[in-house]
């Protein structure tokens, strides 16, 4: 059902809802983007409001290639970049490009729950692959692919988030990155690498992407400016082989509508050219690093010793593992009665019955004081999960 609200998220006074993986609205660069939009009209006039180049405006594509040269171990040539309306559209386009009806898409779980929603909108089978605390397990991937092939099913695509993963915050170690890319190349599997959180590294630079390690054209990387500038701009990008980019840019969707997000992409290019982009990323990183540290310190103070959690080096999320006998549904209800929200682990699994007792906390949207308060509410809910 479509609600009349202007935004997807609405704030309920008194509630601290750590279920939303969104930037803090007070950190969004409203004035800088207003100024950039004015400059776009000064520079481009009506061309800013025309149907755009299907691949995306060249100034933004050039910025993306320059930025990747700084943030990743490999940049892309302009022919390897397509501007999209966010990583979400990137995933939808990649699935359309790679998957035939009846094919199987693999995802390592836990994974971004709304990516599951996007993939489920396609006429395909979705199969989960187990991971450990660091990410996808290669022997499990091998086992699942072999088993599917013996059933004459066609595993064609693997969706994965190797860097500052949603929902755990963890990153895949270097040796497993190499092995994963090699496995995909040897098994005719296209990796769709969701690289949405690359810019938000708090301790050291983000690891090289799978795209950077790939020499066989087996990785399609999804990038996004939702977390490094603003989600409402709806600007992201794909890096892939020139052949894949060409097929997407000449497909019916972009032939009919032109560039996926032309005006926003021009505003972003103008904003980046002024140096505001790098400054904004630093602003987000400083704020979120403090929030992460505050949340981790509060968990240290408020969680029972039977509970463990991840210590993410980037991104938005901490994953909390609860004792095996925890009734997560009762805990979620108890937390709600304490005016606290989070996402229970089951949402991040293709098969929810296989999910462990765990939950995801997002630390991006709330102040350090709210995060400390939220953690004390979680501690109280854990003590009395049947209160609700
Ligand atoms: C892993 C991941 N991919 C994609 C998205 C959505 O990105 P976009 O706003 O660029 O479509 C999110 C947003 O939370 C995310 O966490």
């Amino acid at each position: 059902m479509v609600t009349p609200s202007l935004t997807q998220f609405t704030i309920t006074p008194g509630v601290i809802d750590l279920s939303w993986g969104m930037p803090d609205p007070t950190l969004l660069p409203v004035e800088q983007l207003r100024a950039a939009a004015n400059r776009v009209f000064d520079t481009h006039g009506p061309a800013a409001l025309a149907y755009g180049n299907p691949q995306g405006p060249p100034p933004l594509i050039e910025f993306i290639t320059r930025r990747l040269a700084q943030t990743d171990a490999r940049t892309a040539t302009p022919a390897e970049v397509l501007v999209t309306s966010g990583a979400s559209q990137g995933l939808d386009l990649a699935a359309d490009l790679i998957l035939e009806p009846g094919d199987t898409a693999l995802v390592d779980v836990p994974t971004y729950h709304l990516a599951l929603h996007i993939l489920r909108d396609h006429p395909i089978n979705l199969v989960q692959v187990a991971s450990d605390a660091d990410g996808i397990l290669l022997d499990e991937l091998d086992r699942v692919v072999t088993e599917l092939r013996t059933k004459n099913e066609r595993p064609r695509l693997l969706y994965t988030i190797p860097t500052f993963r949603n929902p755990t915050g963890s990153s895949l170690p270097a040796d497993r990155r190499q092995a994963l890319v090699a496995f995909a190349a040897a098994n005719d599997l296209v990796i769709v690498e969701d690289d949405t959180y690359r810019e938000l590294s708090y301790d050291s630079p983000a690891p090289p992407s799978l795209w950077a390690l790939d020499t066989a054209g087996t990785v399609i990387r999804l990038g996004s400016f939702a977390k490094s500038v603003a989600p409402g701009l709806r600007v992201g990008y794909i890096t892939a082989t020139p052949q894949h980019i060409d097929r997407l840019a000449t497909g019916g969707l972009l032939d009919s509508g032109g560039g996926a997000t032309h005006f926003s992409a021009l505003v972003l290019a103008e904003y980046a050219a002024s140096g505001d982009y790098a400054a904004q990323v630093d602003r987000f990183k400083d704020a979120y690093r403090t929030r992460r540290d505050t949340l981790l310190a509060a968990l240290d103070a408020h969680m029972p010793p039977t509970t463990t959690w991840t210590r993410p080096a980037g991104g938005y999320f901490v994953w909390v593992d609860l004792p095996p006998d925890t009734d997560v549904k009762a805990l979620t209800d108890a937390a709600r009665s304490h005016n606290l929200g989070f996402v229970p682990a089951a949402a991040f699994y293709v098969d929810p019955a296989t999910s462990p007792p765990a939950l995801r906390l997002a630390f991006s949207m709330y102040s350090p004081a709210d995060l400390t308060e939220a953690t004390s509410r979680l501690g109280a809910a854990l003590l009395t999960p049947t209160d609700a």
Side-chain angles (χ1 to χ4, degrees), residues 21 86-88 112 159 161 166 194 196-197 224 226-227 234:
S88 304
Y112 173 45
Y159 170 81
I161 315 167
N166 181 358
D194 189 331
T196 289
Y197 294 96
S224 176
K227 315 297 174 179
R234 305 308 307 136

Side-chain angles (χ1 to χ4, degrees), residues 341-378:
F342 51 73
V343 186
F348 306 103
Y349 284 72
V350 176
D351 179 359
T354 63
S355 68
L359 49 93
R360 186 194 77 174
L361 304 176
F363 56 80
S364 52
M365 207 171 72
Y366 286 94
S367 69
D370 281 340
L371 291 170
T372 304
E373 170 60 23
T375 315
S376 103
R377 291 182 193 179
L378 179 59

Side-chain angles (χ1 to χ4, degrees), residues 20-23 84-91 111-115 118 159-161 163-167 194-197 222-227 230-232 234-237 316-317 360:
W20 289 88
M22 299 201 318
T84 64
S85 168
S88 304
Q89 192 195 35
L91 175 56
T111 192
Y112 173 45
H113 54 322
L114 302 181
I118 293 171
Y159 170 81
T160 189
I161 315 167
T163 304
F164 312 140
R165 174 179 184 156
N166 181 358
D194 189 331
D195 205 20
T196 289
Y197 294 96
L222 314 178
S224 176
F225 292 99
K227 315 297 174 179
R234 305 308 307 136
V235 186
Y237 59 92
Y316 278 180
F317 306 106
R360 186 194 77 174

Side-chain angles (χ1 to χ4, degrees), residues 71-74 162-163 172 174 177 193 195 198 205-213 221:
T71 59
D72 200 357
R74 171 188 167 197
T163 304
L172 196 65
R177 285 179 188 250
E193 173 184 24
D195 205 20
R198 166 159 302 275
S209 64
L210 303 178
W211 153 265
L213 303 175
R221 178 245 301 275

